[in-house]
Amino acid sequence: MIDTFFSTYLSSTIRFLFLLAPFFVVTMFLALTRGLPAPEKSSIIRRACVSAFVLGLVLFFAGPLLFSAIGITLNSFRIGAGSLLFLTAISLVTSGTRNHATGLPEEDRDDIAVVPLAIPVMIGPATIGAILVYGAELKSFAEVTGGLLGLVSGLLILAVLLHLSGYLERALGKTGLNILSKISGLILSAMAAEIVLTGIAGFIAST
């Protein structure tokens, strides 16, 4: 049970971290908070991560209920969510940005922590689908606990990167952050392919 927990926790942490596309989020955070004082930036990071966690928690447990309610199988959803995730990965590889969250809001907002930072910059459509799939795949208590702690750890690592965003920008520059986003997209494409292929194999086996 302990081995299952740790293996699930480690794999989930890595999965969720790349699903969040951390270096793209850092780039967007820098653009959205340019000129703001440090305490306000820290507050935005805290609220954005809490908002992303609440949404991720709901999605994590909503998969089986959603699939049952609309009458689709997990394998079918794997294929759809994996395809959408692959499109996001292609966008990250080609341009270093998510295809659904490339622009900044045109109007001034009182609070950017939830929209657009948490949604859709951190958690966009492809990430939502992937979290639904991963949550539905985990069955035992050890797996579910490891998966949830993996989500928390992924968000904590992202929060640390956001707090260090100013240093990262000075050390790596926009070009360096863009390159890291593209590398993240490459790994994300492999994850998307795995989800799709697992769905196809499961669908063929069930028929």
Side-chain angles (χ1 to χ4, degrees):
M1 181 175 177
I2 295 178
D3 291 341
T4 301
F5 167 77
F6 279 110
S7 62
T8 304
Y9 167 71
L10 183 60
S11 63
S12 296
T13 300
I14 296 172
R15 283 180 173 181
F16 283 121
L17 182 61
F18 282 103
L19 279 174
L20 293 168
F23 296 104
F24 168 68
V25 176
V26 167
T27 301
M28 292 295 290
F29 175 77
L30 287 167
L32 288 166
T33 60
R34 189 79 63 189
L36 294 180
E40 189 171 350
K41 288 184 179 181
S42 297
S43 177
I44 290 172
I45 294 171
R46 183 171 60 254
R47 296 197 308 275
C49 289
V50 169
S51 300
F53 171 72
V54 171
L55 177 58
L57 185 65
V58 172
L59 294 170
F60 193 85
F61 290 105
L65 296 175
L66 177 63
F67 303 153
S68 176
I70 61 181
I72 62 173
T73 64
L74 175 59
N75 288 320
S76 298
F77 200 84
R78 280 188 179 118
I79 297 171
S83 300
L84 185 59
L85 187 62
F86 191 74
L87 293 176
T88 296
I90 291 175
S91 179
L92 281 170
V93 170
T94 56
S95 62
T97 60
R98 289 186 189 267
N99 53 3
H100 63 270
T102 55
L104 300 177
E106 295 180 359
E107 73 278 9
D108 292 332
R109 294 179 182 270
D110 293 330
D111 187 5
I112 61 171
V114 178
V115 179
L117 191 55
I119 307 167
V121 174
M122 288 185 180
I123 299 184
T127 309
I128 289 173
I131 293 175
L132 286 169
V133 168
Y134 286 144
E137 288 177 340
L138 304 178
K139 303 299 182 183
S140 69
F141 177 78
E143 289 177 334
V144 171
T145 304
L148 283 176
L149 289 178
L151 173 60
V152 173
S153 296
L155 285 169
L156 286 176
I157 294 172
L158 177 59
V160 171
L161 290 175
L162 290 176
H163 278 292
L164 298 174
S165 58
Y167 299 102
L168 291 174
E169 185 180 34
R170 288 193 291 272
L172 301 174
K174 292 183 179 180
T175 302
L177 290 173
N178 190 48
I179 291 172
L180 290 175
S181 290
K182 292 184 177 185
I183 294 174
S184 299
L186 183 62
I187 297 173
L188 203 60
S189 68
M191 293 169 57
E194 182 182 8
I195 295 173
V196 172
L197 292 175
T198 302
I200 293 174
F203 182 79
I204 292 174
S206 65
T207 55

